[in-house]
């Protein structure tokens, strides 16, 4: 069996076995703070824009964006379990390979959020995927990418190897390198304000 299929099949269980209901709610609150501190400066204020969460997982970012008033949000994930979980939460999510979905939805999105996903692709897959993301954005659209910084001396290695499906690791320079090679404009790589995890941020 393909290792990706084997692991992604139960990906939602891998995540949920570490979470009680209370910690799920806590996670959503922290993600609300994370989005507010790190993403909103790049997301247009108009609430009718179209937003795609590519590799949306259990849909927490989608739920937070909906709570913020963004109505046209959709998720894509390859894990059936994740998709079922999201749909039970009332989220608009489809189960499909990321590149296949993007190729079928060109010039449709104002914002594409790409959280902790790029590291799951092999080197030869990254550039075609970024090309598909670019085609799926409207003129002037924005892609927001989050991935572990392997130069981080405290959690770089654990982030790289915590998941068997991680194929790549990035530092700020290599992430900028691939986006510029894919002909994205105004590429900015910044350190995220992470002081929302563990309840450090005020509500």
């Amino acid at each position: 069996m393909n290792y990706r299929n084997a692991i992604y099949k139960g990906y939602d269980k891998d995540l949920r076995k570490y979470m009680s209901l209370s910690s799920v709610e806590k996670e959503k609150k922290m993600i609300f703070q994370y989005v507010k501190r790190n993403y909103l400066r790049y997301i247009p204020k108009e609430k009718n824009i179209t937003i795609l969460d590519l590799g949306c997982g259990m849909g927490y970012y989608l739920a937070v964006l909906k709570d913020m008033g963004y109505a046209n949000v959709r998720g894509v994930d390859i894990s059936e379990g994740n998709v079922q979980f999201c749909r039970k939460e009332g989220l608009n999510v489809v189960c499909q390979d990321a590149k296949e979905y993007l190729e079928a939805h060109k010039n449709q999105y104002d914002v594409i959020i790409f959280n902790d996903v790029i590291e799951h692709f092999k080197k030869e897959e990254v550039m075609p995927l970024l090309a598909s993301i670019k085609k799926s954005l409207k003129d002037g659209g924005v892609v927001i990418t989050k991935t572990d910084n392997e130069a981080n001396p405290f959690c770089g290695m654990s982030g790289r190897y915590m998941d068997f499906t991680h194929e790549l690791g990035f530092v700020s320079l290599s992430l900028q390198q691939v986006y510029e090679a894919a002909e994205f404009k105004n590429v900015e790589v910044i350190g995220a304000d992470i002081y929302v995890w563990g309840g450090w941020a005020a509500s």
Side-chain angles (χ1 to χ4, degrees), residues 143-190:
V143 57
I144 300 172
T145 301
K146 176 165 80 73
T147 189
D148 286 335
N149 179 4
E150 306 308 335
N152 186 312
F154 301 105
C155 55
M157 284 297 99
S158 62
R160 170 67 178 85
Y161 293 106
M162 67 183 289
D163 188 331
F164 187 70
T165 63
H166 284 181
E167 297 283 355
L168 292 173
F170 290 88
V171 297
S172 58
L173 186 58
S174 58
L175 188 64
Q176 181 154 355
Q177 185 182 39
V178 295
Y179 270 94
E180 288 181 349
E183 300 184 348
F184 281 83
K185 306 299 181 190
N186 304 314
V187 177
E188 182 182 1
V189 179
I190 61 169

Side-chain angles (χ1 to χ4, degrees), residues 44 48-51 108-112 137-143:
N48 63 342
I49 62 167
T50 51
I51 302 176
Q108 289 202 12
Y109 293 101
D110 296 289
V111 178
I112 294 178
L137 286 169
K138 296 178 183 178
D139 287 343
V142 175
V143 57

Side-chain angles (χ1 to χ4, degrees), residues 41-188:
R41 73 189 91 164
Y42 302 109
I43 299 175
K45 290 183 169 55
E46 295 83 3
K47 301 301 184 183
N48 63 342
I49 62 167
T50 51
I51 302 176
L52 176 69
D53 188 350
L54 192 62
C56 64
M58 294 172 74
Y60 297 147
Y61 285 82
L62 289 171
V64 162
L65 288 164
K66 274 187 72 176
D67 288 346
M68 289 179 170
Y70 290 99
N72 298 318
V73 293
R74 168 175 273 199
V76 177
D77 202 276
I78 201 167
S79 165
E80 236 176 87
N82 280 343
V83 171
Q84 288 172 6
F85 180 87
C86 290
R87 287 176 178 170
K88 284 177 187 173
E89 295 293 308
L91 300 170
N92 180 11
V93 176
V94 298
C95 188
Q96 195 171 351
D97 171 81
K99 192 170 187 307
E100 287 177 8
Y101 179 88
L102 293 167
E103 287 297 318
H105 295 81
K106 294 179 180 175
N107 195 34
Q108 289 202 12
Y109 293 101
D110 296 289
V111 178
I112 294 178
I113 292 173
F114 198 37
N115 285 320
D116 302 313
V117 179
I118 193 169
E119 65 271 17
H120 291 262
F121 290 87
K122 297 175 182 177
K123 279 189 176 183
E124 62 268 23
E125 296 173 318
V126 169
M127 299 306 294
L129 179 67
L130 293 183
S132 295
I133 288 175
K134 196 167 186 289
K135 288 174 188 172
S136 196
L137 286 169
K138 296 178 183 178
D139 287 343
V142 175
V143 57
I144 300 172
T145 301
K146 176 165 80 73
T147 189
D148 286 335
N149 179 4
E150 306 308 335
N152 186 312
F154 301 105
C155 55
M157 284 297 99
S158 62
R160 170 67 178 85
Y161 293 106
M162 67 183 289
D163 188 331
F164 187 70
T165 63
H166 284 181
E167 297 283 355
L168 292 173
F170 290 88
V171 297
S172 58
L173 186 58
S174 58
L175 188 64
Q176 181 154 355
Q177 185 182 39
V178 295
Y179 270 94
E180 288 181 349
E183 300 184 348
F184 281 83
K185 306 299 181 190
N186 304 314
V187 177
E188 182 182 1

Side-chain angles (χ1 to χ4, degrees), residues 17-57:
K17 69 183 173 186
Y18 300 111
M19 289 183 175
S20 64
L21 180 60
S22 61
S23 64
V24 167
E25 292 309 312
K26 186 178 177 184
E27 184 87 1
K28 287 181 183 176
K29 286 179 182 176
M30 289 189 289
I31 286 173
F32 181 89
Q33 294 297 331
Y34 185 86
V35 169
K36 204 161 88 169
R37 287 170 181 241
N38 294 290
Y39 288 8
L40 284 189
R41 73 189 91 164
Y42 302 109
I43 299 175
K45 290 183 169 55
E46 295 83 3
K47 301 301 184 183
N48 63 342
I49 62 167
T50 51
I51 302 176
L52 176 69
D53 188 350
L54 192 62
C56 64

